């Protein structure tokens, strides 16, 4: 997996809050308790990002200084605040007002249980987050600060899961600030939903999107040595089943060598430019022998974002969801709603693309195959073919509505095809959308959702909620509880709110 920019150094700062009123001994105890929680979370939580305990905050100056340091610190990707005791929140105003890093408010308590027989006022005065955190929440609400609120004992598995989900969203956000998407060719001609305002996207999300000439990519492809090609072919033969015609001595072996050269060139272009994602389009393949298939699939498996037909928004989203799901079970891929099974009550969506489906979805060892492609006018492309593993997943998209961006998520259940798809020449996934097909597809279409998505079994709706909050964009979720009338109301509300807010930059 192409590691997130900044991951090696990334830190979350754990910030306990209190005040001077309690005296030094209590404040020392608060600091020790904060250390205990940080050590415990680091040990038990499997956090994707290192958690660093900061000094107990007791005054406005120190809080403002901490927030300035968080903003300036390249390594700090977010703050986790916890008010162990009461911490009068007027002293948090200056710091929080200027904070530009993601904020999580962990509403917890050192001890899980009330010590019934020994509890006295000293205990009560030390364990005050029940009202201290309400004071903190009030000032965040009043200042309009987007944040995650996590509630429960810090050793509870659900709490730890929520914290790790949020940490992963913060890491994806951090990566996105320096994200770079390379575009080979422009948008597929006349398509609306894959277009968008790249300047507005950079102002909102941080990632940059720039076009490169196919000649520059072709030059990279041509520099691939025979030795490199041979080594990559050996990797292909070790990792996948190879169709007979592509094996050594097979009639189409040359196409496999071409595909390997394309992968080597594309990879070297992306690595040398520090890119985190890319797009291509079958309408601009000048100098390429075939539309990149296996190359795109394997680069996606290594953590690069990808969008076909010039779809840079989906490329950026695939990259973010790769980071949010890294190390968790299940694949993450660029996807397209392709064909329906419309048997009433048993509707299914068959998702695939011309070639570019990520093999991390595969339920079995993929096969390398070669088949004609009806469009593009190039030689037959080599691709990995497989069927996706079953399981719960989320299908998400990023939409440009002209005056704002919208994230859209639909929870789906991936299922095994009822019969083998023997003639289907591409990687494919079959799913049932939540809550049911008419509601899911109706809501998606009402919300202006695209046909391109990121399908992920490894990242969740909860992470997308966290990510949307951090990014300051709206999220429309279609899940088991969705009713169309609620979606229509949410969309009307969103449109009204947007008309009142400042125009985007
Ligand atoms: Mn497409």
């Amino acid at each position: 997996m192409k590691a997130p920019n900044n991951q090696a150094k990334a830190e979350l700062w754990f910030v306990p809050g209190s005040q001077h009123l309690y005296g030094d001994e209590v404040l020392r105890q608060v600091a020790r308790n904060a250390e205990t929680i940080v050590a415990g979370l680091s040990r038990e939580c499997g956090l994707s990002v290192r958690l660093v305990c900061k000094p107990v905050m007791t005054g406005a100056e120190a809080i403002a200084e901490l927030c300035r340091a968080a903003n300036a610190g390249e390594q700090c990707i977010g703050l986790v605040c916890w008010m162990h005791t009461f911490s009068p929140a007027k002293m948090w105003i200056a710091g929080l007002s200027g904070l530009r890093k993601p904020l999580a408010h962990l509403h917890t308590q050192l001890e899980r249980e009330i010590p019934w027989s020994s509890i006295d006022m000293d205990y009560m005065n030390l364990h005050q987050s029940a009202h201290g955190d309400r004071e903190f929440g009030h000032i965040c609400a009043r200042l309009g600060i987007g944040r995650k609120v996590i509630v429960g004992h810090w050793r509870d598995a659900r709490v730890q899961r929520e914290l790790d989900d949020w940490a992963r969203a913060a890491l994806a956000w951090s990566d996105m600030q320096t994200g770079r998407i390379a575009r080979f060719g422009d948008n597929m001609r006349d398509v609306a939903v894959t277009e968008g305002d790249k300047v507005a996207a950079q102002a909102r999300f941080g990632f940059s999107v720039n076009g490169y000439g196919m000649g520059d990519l072709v030059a990279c492809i041509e520099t691939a040595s025979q030795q490199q090609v041979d080594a990559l072919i050996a990797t292909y033969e070790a990792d996948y089943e190879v169709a007979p015609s592509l094996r050594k001595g097979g009639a189409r072996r040359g196409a496999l060598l071409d595909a390997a050269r394309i992968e080597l060139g594309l990879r070297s272009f992306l690595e040398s430019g520090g890119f985190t994602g890319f797009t291509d389009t079958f309408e601009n393949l000048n100098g390429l022998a075939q539309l990149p298939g296996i190359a795109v699939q394997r680069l996606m498996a290594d953590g690069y974002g990808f969008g076909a037909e010039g779809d840079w928004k989906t490329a950026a989203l695939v990259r973010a969801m790769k980071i949010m799901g890294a190390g968790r079970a299940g694949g993450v891929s660029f996807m397209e709603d392709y064909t329906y099974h419309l048997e009433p009550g048993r509707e299914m969506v068959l998702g695939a693309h011309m070639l570019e489906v990520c093999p991390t979805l595969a339920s079995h060892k993929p096969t390398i195959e070669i088949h004609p492609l009806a469009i593009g006018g190039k030689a037959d492309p080599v691709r990995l073919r497989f069927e996706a593993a079953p399981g719960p997943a989320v299908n998400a998209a990023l939409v440009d509505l002209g005056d704002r961006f919208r994230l859209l998520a639909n929870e789906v259940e991936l299922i095994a095809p009822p019969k083998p798809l023997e003639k289907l020449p591409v990687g494919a996934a079959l799913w049932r959308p939540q809550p049911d097909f008419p509601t899911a597809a109706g809501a998606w279409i009402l919300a202006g959702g695209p046909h391109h998505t990121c399908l992920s079994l490894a990242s969740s709706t909860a992470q997308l909620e966290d990510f949307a909050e951090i990014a300051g964009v709206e999220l429309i979720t279609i899940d088991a509880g969705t009713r169309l009338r609620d979606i229509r109301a949410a969309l009307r509300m969103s449109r009204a709110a947007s008309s009142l807010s400042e125009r985007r930059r």
Side-chain angles (χ1 to χ4, degrees), residues 248-289:
K248 196 164 191 176
R252 313 300 300 278
R253 181 71 168 182
L256 189 66
L257 303 180
D258 283 341
R261 276 186 208 103
I262 291 173
E263 178 179 336
L264 288 164
L266 198 44
R267 192 179 289 275
S268 114
F269 187 100
L270 296 172
E271 280 176 0
S272 63
F275 293 101
T276 51
F278 64 105
T279 73
D280 64 11
T281 171
F282 64 87
E283 288 176 330
N284 186 349
L285 298 173
N286 277 335
L288 296 194

Short mmCIF file of all heavy atoms in Angstrom, two decimals, residues 248-289:
data_model
loop_
_atom_site.label_atom_id
_atom_site.label_comp_id
_atom_site.label_asym_id
_atom_site.label_seq_id
_atom_site.Cartn_x
_atom_site.Cartn_y
_atom_site.Cartn_z
N LYS A 248 4.00 -18.19 -21.58
CA LYS A 248 5.21 -18.22 -22.43
C LYS A 248 4.94 -19.11 -23.63
O LYS A 248 4.49 -20.26 -23.48
CB LYS A 248 6.39 -18.76 -21.62
CG LYS A 248 7.71 -18.48 -22.28
CD LYS A 248 8.87 -18.65 -21.31
CE LYS A 248 10.14 -18.11 -21.93
NZ LYS A 248 11.27 -18.16 -21.01
N GLY A 249 5.19 -18.57 -24.82
CA GLY A 249 4.92 -19.34 -26.05
C GLY A 249 3.50 -19.21 -26.54
O GLY A 249 3.17 -19.67 -27.64
N GLY A 250 2.61 -18.58 -25.73
CA GLY A 250 1.21 -18.40 -26.12
C GLY A 250 1.08 -17.34 -27.21
O GLY A 250 1.94 -16.47 -27.36
N ALA A 251 -0.04 -17.42 -27.95
CA ALA A 251 -0.23 -16.56 -29.12
C ALA A 251 -0.31 -15.08 -28.74
O ALA A 251 0.02 -14.21 -29.56
CB ALA A 251 -1.52 -16.97 -29.85
N ARG A 252 -0.75 -14.77 -27.51
CA ARG A 252 -0.93 -13.36 -27.14
C ARG A 252 0.11 -12.89 -26.11
O ARG A 252 -0.08 -11.87 -25.45
CB ARG A 252 -2.34 -13.15 -26.55
CG ARG A 252 -3.48 -13.77 -27.33
CD ARG A 252 -3.58 -13.21 -28.75
NE ARG A 252 -3.80 -11.76 -28.80
CZ ARG A 252 -4.98 -11.16 -28.66
NH1 ARG A 252 -6.06 -11.88 -28.47
NH2 ARG A 252 -5.08 -9.84 -28.73
N ARG A 253 1.20 -13.64 -25.98
CA ARG A 253 2.21 -13.30 -24.97
C ARG A 253 2.69 -11.84 -25.10
O ARG A 253 2.97 -11.17 -24.12
CB ARG A 253 3.40 -14.25 -25.13
CG ARG A 253 4.53 -14.04 -24.13
CD ARG A 253 4.13 -14.49 -22.74
NE ARG A 253 5.29 -14.55 -21.84
CZ ARG A 253 5.24 -14.95 -20.58
NH1 ARG A 253 4.08 -15.35 -20.08
NH2 ARG A 253 6.32 -14.98 -19.84
N GLY A 254 2.79 -11.36 -26.33
CA GLY A 254 3.25 -9.99 -26.56
C GLY A 254 2.39 -8.95 -25.87
O GLY A 254 2.89 -7.93 -25.38
N ALA A 255 1.08 -9.21 -25.81
CA ALA A 255 0.17 -8.26 -25.16
C ALA A 255 0.44 -8.19 -23.66
O ALA A 255 0.30 -7.13 -23.04
CB ALA A 255 -1.28 -8.67 -25.42
N LEU A 256 0.85 -9.32 -23.07
CA LEU A 256 1.17 -9.33 -21.64
C LEU A 256 2.43 -8.50 -21.38
O LEU A 256 2.50 -7.76 -20.40
CB LEU A 256 1.36 -10.77 -21.15
CG LEU A 256 1.49 -10.92 -19.63
CD1 LEU A 256 0.20 -10.55 -18.92
CD2 LEU A 256 1.91 -12.35 -19.24
N LEU A 257 3.40 -8.62 -22.29
CA LEU A 257 4.62 -7.82 -22.16
C LEU A 257 4.29 -6.33 -22.29
O LEU A 257 4.81 -5.50 -21.54
CB LEU A 257 5.67 -8.23 -23.21
CG LEU A 257 6.09 -9.70 -23.20
CD1 LEU A 257 7.14 -9.97 -24.29
CD2 LEU A 257 6.67 -10.10 -21.84
N ASP A 258 3.41 -5.99 -23.23
CA ASP A 258 2.99 -4.59 -23.38
C ASP A 258 2.32 -4.09 -22.10
O ASP A 258 2.56 -2.97 -21.65
CB ASP A 258 1.98 -4.45 -24.54
CG ASP A 258 2.66 -4.50 -25.90
OD1 ASP A 258 3.88 -4.26 -25.95
OD2 ASP A 258 1.96 -4.77 -26.90
N ALA A 259 1.46 -4.93 -21.52
CA ALA A 259 0.75 -4.54 -20.30
C ALA A 259 1.74 -4.31 -19.16
O ALA A 259 1.59 -3.37 -18.36
CB ALA A 259 -0.27 -5.61 -19.91
N ALA A 260 2.75 -5.16 -19.07
CA ALA A 260 3.76 -5.01 -18.01
C ALA A 260 4.54 -3.71 -18.20
O ALA A 260 4.84 -3.01 -17.23
CB ALA A 260 4.70 -6.22 -18.01
N ARG A 261 4.88 -3.40 -19.47
CA ARG A 261 5.59 -2.14 -19.74
C ARG A 261 4.74 -0.94 -19.32
O ARG A 261 5.24 0.02 -18.75
CB ARG A 261 5.94 -2.03 -21.24
CG ARG A 261 7.21 -2.75 -21.60
CD ARG A 261 7.61 -2.52 -23.06
NE ARG A 261 8.36 -3.69 -23.48
CZ ARG A 261 7.89 -4.66 -24.24
NH1 ARG A 261 6.67 -4.58 -24.74
NH2 ARG A 261 8.64 -5.71 -24.53
N ILE A 262 3.46 -1.01 -19.62
CA ILE A 262 2.56 0.09 -19.23
C ILE A 262 2.54 0.23 -17.71
O ILE A 262 2.63 1.34 -17.17
CB ILE A 262 1.13 -0.14 -19.78
CG1 ILE A 262 1.14 0.00 -21.32
CG2 ILE A 262 0.14 0.84 -19.16
CD1 ILE A 262 -0.18 -0.37 -21.99
N GLU A 263 2.47 -0.90 -17.00
CA GLU A 263 2.47 -0.81 -15.53
C GLU A 263 3.77 -0.18 -15.02
O GLU A 263 3.75 0.70 -14.15
CB GLU A 263 2.28 -2.19 -14.89
CG GLU A 263 2.33 -2.07 -13.35
CD GLU A 263 2.12 -3.38 -12.61
OE1 GLU A 263 1.49 -4.29 -13.16
OE2 GLU A 263 2.59 -3.46 -11.46
N LEU A 264 4.90 -0.63 -15.58
CA LEU A 264 6.19 -0.10 -15.12
C LEU A 264 6.28 1.40 -15.37
O LEU A 264 6.73 2.16 -14.52
CB LEU A 264 7.34 -0.84 -15.82
CG LEU A 264 7.54 -2.28 -15.37
CD1 LEU A 264 8.41 -3.03 -16.38
CD2 LEU A 264 8.17 -2.34 -13.98
N GLY A 265 5.83 1.83 -16.55
CA GLY A 265 5.90 3.25 -16.89
C GLY A 265 4.99 4.10 -16.03
O GLY A 265 5.37 5.16 -15.52
N LEU A 266 3.76 3.61 -15.85
CA LEU A 266 2.78 4.34 -15.05
C LEU A 266 3.26 4.45 -13.61
O LEU A 266 3.19 5.51 -12.97
CB LEU A 266 1.45 3.58 -15.15
CG LEU A 266 0.13 4.25 -14.80
CD1 LEU A 266 0.01 5.65 -15.37
CD2 LEU A 266 -1.02 3.37 -15.29
N ARG A 267 3.76 3.33 -13.09
CA ARG A 267 4.23 3.32 -11.70
C ARG A 267 5.39 4.28 -11.52
O ARG A 267 5.45 5.03 -10.54
CB ARG A 267 4.62 1.89 -11.31
CG ARG A 267 4.85 1.68 -9.82
CD ARG A 267 5.21 0.22 -9.54
NE ARG A 267 4.10 -0.70 -9.70
CZ ARG A 267 3.18 -0.96 -8.75
NH1 ARG A 267 3.26 -0.35 -7.59
NH2 ARG A 267 2.20 -1.82 -8.97
N SER A 268 6.31 4.26 -12.47
CA SER A 268 7.48 5.13 -12.31
C SER A 268 7.07 6.60 -12.44
O SER A 268 7.57 7.46 -11.71
CB SER A 268 8.57 4.72 -13.30
OG SER A 268 8.80 5.70 -14.24
N PHE A 269 6.12 6.89 -13.33
CA PHE A 269 5.63 8.27 -13.45
C PHE A 269 5.00 8.73 -12.13
O PHE A 269 5.29 9.82 -11.63
CB PHE A 269 4.58 8.35 -14.57
CG PHE A 269 4.14 9.76 -14.89
CD1 PHE A 269 4.67 10.44 -15.97
CD2 PHE A 269 3.20 10.41 -14.09
CE1 PHE A 269 4.27 11.75 -16.26
CE2 PHE A 269 2.80 11.71 -14.37
CZ PHE A 269 3.34 12.38 -15.45
N LEU A 270 4.16 7.89 -11.55
CA LEU A 270 3.44 8.27 -10.32
C LEU A 270 4.40 8.39 -9.14
O LEU A 270 4.28 9.30 -8.31
CB LEU A 270 2.34 7.25 -10.00
CG LEU A 270 1.21 7.15 -11.05
CD1 LEU A 270 0.28 5.97 -10.72
CD2 LEU A 270 0.41 8.44 -11.14
N GLU A 271 5.35 7.46 -9.06
CA GLU A 271 6.30 7.50 -7.94
C GLU A 271 7.20 8.73 -8.03
O GLU A 271 7.40 9.43 -7.04
CB GLU A 271 7.16 6.22 -7.93
CG GLU A 271 6.43 5.04 -7.31
CD GLU A 271 7.23 3.74 -7.39
OE1 GLU A 271 8.36 3.76 -7.93
OE2 GLU A 271 6.71 2.71 -6.92
N SER A 272 7.71 8.99 -9.23
CA SER A 272 8.67 10.09 -9.33
C SER A 272 7.96 11.43 -9.12
O SER A 272 8.58 12.39 -8.67
CB SER A 272 9.41 10.05 -10.66
OG SER A 272 8.49 10.24 -11.72
N GLY A 273 6.66 11.51 -9.41
CA GLY A 273 5.95 12.77 -9.22
C GLY A 273 5.28 12.89 -7.86
O GLY A 273 4.63 13.90 -7.59
N GLY A 274 5.41 11.87 -7.01
CA GLY A 274 4.78 11.93 -5.69
C GLY A 274 3.26 11.96 -5.75
O GLY A 274 2.60 12.55 -4.89
N PHE A 275 2.69 11.28 -6.75
CA PHE A 275 1.23 11.32 -6.90
C PHE A 275 0.55 10.31 -5.96
O PHE A 275 1.14 9.30 -5.59
CB PHE A 275 0.84 11.00 -8.36
CG PHE A 275 1.28 12.07 -9.32
CD1 PHE A 275 2.43 11.90 -10.10
CD2 PHE A 275 0.58 13.26 -9.41
CE1 PHE A 275 2.85 12.90 -10.95
CE2 PHE A 275 1.00 14.27 -10.27
CZ PHE A 275 2.14 14.09 -11.05
N THR A 276 -0.70 10.64 -5.60
CA THR A 276 -1.48 9.74 -4.75
C THR A 276 -2.64 9.12 -5.51
O THR A 276 -3.32 8.24 -5.00
CB THR A 276 -2.03 10.50 -3.53
OG1 THR A 276 -2.71 11.69 -3.98
CG2 THR A 276 -0.93 10.91 -2.58
N GLY A 277 -2.87 9.60 -6.73
CA GLY A 277 -3.95 9.03 -7.53
C GLY A 277 -3.82 9.49 -8.97
O GLY A 277 -2.98 10.34 -9.29
N PHE A 278 -4.66 8.92 -9.85
CA PHE A 278 -4.57 9.27 -11.27
C PHE A 278 -5.87 8.93 -11.98
O PHE A 278 -6.70 8.18 -11.46
CB PHE A 278 -3.38 8.56 -11.93
CG PHE A 278 -3.48 7.06 -11.98
CD1 PHE A 278 -3.78 6.39 -13.16
CD2 PHE A 278 -3.27 6.30 -10.83
CE1 PHE A 278 -3.87 5.00 -13.20
CE2 PHE A 278 -3.36 4.92 -10.86
CZ PHE A 278 -3.65 4.26 -12.04
N THR A 279 -6.00 9.51 -13.17
CA THR A 279 -7.12 9.17 -14.04
C THR A 279 -6.59 8.92 -15.44
O THR A 279 -5.50 9.38 -15.79
CB THR A 279 -8.15 10.32 -14.14
OG1 THR A 279 -7.60 11.38 -14.94
CG2 THR A 279 -8.53 10.86 -12.76
N ASP A 280 -7.34 8.18 -16.22
CA ASP A 280 -7.05 8.09 -17.65
C ASP A 280 -8.39 8.09 -18.39
O ASP A 280 -9.45 8.20 -17.76
CB ASP A 280 -6.21 6.85 -17.99
CG ASP A 280 -6.93 5.54 -17.70
OD1 ASP A 280 -8.15 5.55 -17.44
OD2 ASP A 280 -6.27 4.48 -17.74
N THR A 281 -8.34 8.03 -19.70
CA THR A 281 -9.57 7.92 -20.48
C THR A 281 -9.29 7.17 -21.76
O THR A 281 -8.25 7.37 -22.40
CB THR A 281 -10.19 9.29 -20.79
OG1 THR A 281 -11.26 9.11 -21.71
CG2 THR A 281 -9.18 10.26 -21.37
N PHE A 282 -10.22 6.31 -22.13
CA PHE A 282 -10.04 5.51 -23.35
C PHE A 282 -10.07 6.40 -24.60
O PHE A 282 -9.75 5.95 -25.67
CB PHE A 282 -11.11 4.42 -23.43
CG PHE A 282 -12.50 4.95 -23.57
CD1 PHE A 282 -13.04 5.25 -24.82
CD2 PHE A 282 -13.28 5.20 -22.45
CE1 PHE A 282 -14.32 5.76 -24.95
CE2 PHE A 282 -14.55 5.71 -22.56
CZ PHE A 282 -15.08 6.00 -23.81
N GLU A 283 -10.50 7.66 -24.44
CA GLU A 283 -10.52 8.57 -25.60
C GLU A 283 -9.17 9.22 -25.85
O GLU A 283 -9.03 9.95 -26.83
CB GLU A 283 -11.60 9.65 -25.39
CG GLU A 283 -13.00 9.08 -25.54
CD GLU A 283 -14.09 10.10 -25.25
OE1 GLU A 283 -13.86 11.02 -24.44
OE2 GLU A 283 -15.16 9.97 -25.85
N ASN A 284 -8.22 9.01 -24.97
CA ASN A 284 -6.89 9.56 -25.21
C ASN A 284 -5.85 8.55 -24.76
O ASN A 284 -5.46 8.50 -23.60
CB ASN A 284 -6.70 10.89 -24.46
CG ASN A 284 -5.38 11.54 -24.81
OD1 ASN A 284 -4.52 10.92 -25.46
ND2 ASN A 284 -5.20 12.77 -24.39
N LEU A 285 -5.45 7.72 -25.72
CA LEU A 285 -4.46 6.67 -25.43
C LEU A 285 -3.29 6.78 -26.39
O LEU A 285 -2.60 5.79 -26.66
CB LEU A 285 -5.11 5.29 -25.55
CG LEU A 285 -6.27 4.99 -24.58
CD1 LEU A 285 -6.94 3.66 -24.93
CD2 LEU A 285 -5.78 4.96 -23.14
N ASN A 286 -3.04 7.99 -26.89
CA ASN A 286 -1.98 8.17 -27.89
C ASN A 286 -0.65 7.61 -27.42
O ASN A 286 -0.15 8.00 -26.38
CB ASN A 286 -1.79 9.66 -28.20
CG ASN A 286 -2.79 10.14 -29.23
OD1 ASN A 286 -3.29 9.33 -30.02
ND2 ASN A 286 -3.09 11.42 -29.21
N GLY A 287 -0.13 6.67 -28.18
CA GLY A 287 1.17 6.12 -27.85
C GLY A 287 1.11 4.88 -26.96
O GLY A 287 2.13 4.23 -26.74
N LEU A 288 -0.07 4.56 -26.42
CA LEU A 288 -0.22 3.34 -25.61
C LEU A 288 -0.72 2.20 -26.51
O LEU A 288 -1.59 2.42 -27.35
CB LEU A 288 -1.22 3.53 -24.47
CG LEU A 288 -0.90 4.54 -23.38
CD1 LEU A 288 -1.83 4.31 -22.19
CD2 LEU A 288 0.54 4.44 -22.92
N ALA A 289 -0.18 1.03 -26.31
CA ALA A 289 -0.60 -0.12 -27.12
C ALA A 289 -2.03 -0.54 -26.78
O ALA A 289 -2.78 -0.98 -27.64
CB ALA A 289 0.37 -1.28 -26.92
#
